[in-house]
Amino acid sequence: MWFWSANSVEQELFDLYAPALQSLGVNFNDEQLQDTLEAASYGLEDAFRSAIVYILWLEENLKPIYPTAILIDALANQWRTKYWKPEYLELEQLLSRGKRLWKAAVYNCSLATLTDSITAPLSSSSASIMVYRSSTKPASTDSL
């Protein structure tokens, strides 16, 4: 399916925005979308951002949404948006399933550690040390 080299700017942009677009319902297996992506190299980021903003607006206003068609149109007509905010990629609904699970696990681990430290002093038991050590490492979501 992919026509961009692994280290290309196009592939980096795709990797950044594809999870959000997929969570909004874009089907990257669609042949027409693949043809459009293959033909588009200029304005990819603007098209990806514009499609995300427009789909979010449609959702908010309870309008019918055709995510794949919207992205095809955004790519073909080189849409640009002035409403993009980098925080959009961190919206819960736009996170990939893996990132959502990771955030939930980190939250639950932090909550359990906080609860343990409030209700009982840290003992020398191996279970307490494991919880303490796991809570001192910074959480990273870069690999998801």
Side-chain angles (χ1 to χ4, degrees), residues 58-126:
L58 289 171
E59 280 183 353
E60 185 177 316
N61 290 283
L62 305 173
K63 304 282 186 188
I65 303 169
Y66 307 99
T68 304
I70 290 170
L71 181 57
I72 290 169
D73 199 27
L75 289 162
N77 296 306
Q78 298 181 355
W79 289 4
R80 292 177 178 250
T81 183
K82 59 183 176 182
Y83 301 107
W84 176 256
K85 295 177 186 170
E87 306 87 68
Y88 286 158
L89 290 179
E90 295 303 317
L91 290 173
E92 190 70 27
Q93 74 192 72
L94 298 186
L95 294 178
S96 69
R97 188 174 194 283
K99 279 192 178 182
R100 273 185 256 155
L101 291 171
W102 179 257
K103 282 182 79 170
V106 167
Y107 174 77
N108 288 335
C109 182
S110 297
L111 188 58
T113 303
L114 177 63
T115 304
D116 289 347
S117 65
I118 290 172
T119 58
L122 186 63
S123 69
S124 61
S125 75
S126 59

Side-chain angles (χ1 to χ4, degrees), residues 5 14 35 38 40 49 55 60 75 82 112 117 123-125 129 141-142:
S5 65
F14 178 82
D35 292 343
E38 187 172 10
R49 288 177 171 184
I55 293 169
E60 185 177 316
L75 289 162
K82 59 183 176 182
S117 65
S123 69
S124 61
S125 75
I129 292 171
T141 58
D142 295 338

Side-chain angles (χ1 to χ4, degrees), residues 109-110 112-114 128-139:
C109 182
S110 297
T113 303
L114 177 63
S128 295
I129 292 171
M130 282 178 48
V131 171
Y132 175 74
R133 285 190 178 146
S134 69
S135 68
T136 60
K137 292 181 182 178

